[in-house]
């Protein structure tokens, strides 16, 4: 969509039991947030990369990253960085809750060289 190059790099043979629909919801939320950031910042070659390795899943974009003053708040309920408040601020909060409460994993975000990196670590 929107001429965004979406790549999937699967490098994991780990198998685990999980809540499939909840995990899909989290991944879709991360992808949708990356898409929204790319549409807002309009980089020359917009990309979303979904990577797996061992028990880690990453969603990476090249939308320029998350402002430093927002980085510690993005998982707070009702906090949104989206222009004109087109977001409810509940998506990342719920994603983190699902991963950490139900999967006993960890969901973190940081800025990489060209954009945001969301990392899910499963136990």
């Amino acid at each position: 969509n929107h001429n965004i190059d979406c790549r999937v790099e699967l490098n994991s043979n780990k198998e685990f039991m999980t809540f499939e629909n909840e995990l899909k919801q989290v991944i879709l939320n991360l992808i949708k947030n990356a898409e929204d950031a790319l549409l807002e910042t309009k980089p020359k070659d917009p990309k979303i990369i979904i990577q797996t390795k061992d028990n880690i899943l990453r969603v990476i974009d090249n939308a320029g990253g998350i402002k430093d003053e927002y980085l510690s708040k993005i998982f707070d309920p009702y906090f949104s960085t989206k222009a004109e408040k087109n977001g409810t601020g509940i998506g990342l909060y719920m994603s983190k809750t699902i991963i950490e409460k139900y999967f006993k994993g960890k969901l973190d975000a940081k800025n990489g060289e060209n954009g945001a990196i969301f990392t899910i670590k499963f136990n």
Side-chain angles (χ1 to χ4, degrees):
N1 253 356
H2 305 288
N3 293 317
I4 297 172
D5 178 19
C6 188
R7 287 190 247 148
V8 179
E9 301 171 358
L10 305 177
N11 297 302
S12 178
N13 293 321
K14 298 266 185 181
E15 291 186 26
F16 55 93
M17 298 294 292
T18 189
F19 301 101
E20 181 179 351
N21 289 329
E22 288 81 354
L23 181 57
K24 285 179 185 177
Q25 189 64 44
V26 169
I27 295 169
L28 284 173
N29 183 56
L30 297 177
I31 292 168
K32 179 62 176 151
N33 284 350
E35 177 188 48
D36 290 347
L38 290 165
L39 293 176
E40 186 175 320
T41 61
K42 297 178 177 61
K44 182 179 176 183
D45 296 310
K47 291 181 182 71
I48 298 172
I49 302 169
I50 303 158
Q51 293 178 334
T52 63
K53 184 173 181 179
D54 300 324
N55 62 332
I56 295 173
L57 183 145
R58 287 191 177 95
V59 177
I60 305 165
D61 67 52
N62 66 337
I66 303 163
K67 291 182 181 179
D68 289 338
E69 64 263 27
Y70 298 155
L71 205 49
S72 66
K73 301 175 186 175
I74 60 170
F75 294 110
D76 292 351
Y78 309 111
F79 179 81
S80 179
T81 63
K82 294 188 178 170
E84 301 169 20
K85 286 295 178 188
N86 287 328
T88 63
I90 202 73
L92 287 176
Y93 169 74
M94 288 304 300
S95 294
K96 189 168 182 76
T97 300
I98 289 167
I99 295 298
E100 295 187 358
K101 183 176 181 181
Y102 297 107
F103 296 160
K104 306 295 185 215
K106 187 83 174 146
L107 172 58
D108 288 310
K110 68 178 182 178
N111 287 320
E113 189 174 317
N114 298 311
I117 302 171
F118 283 85
T119 302
I120 300 171
K121 183 174 183 181
F122 300 97
N123 290 327

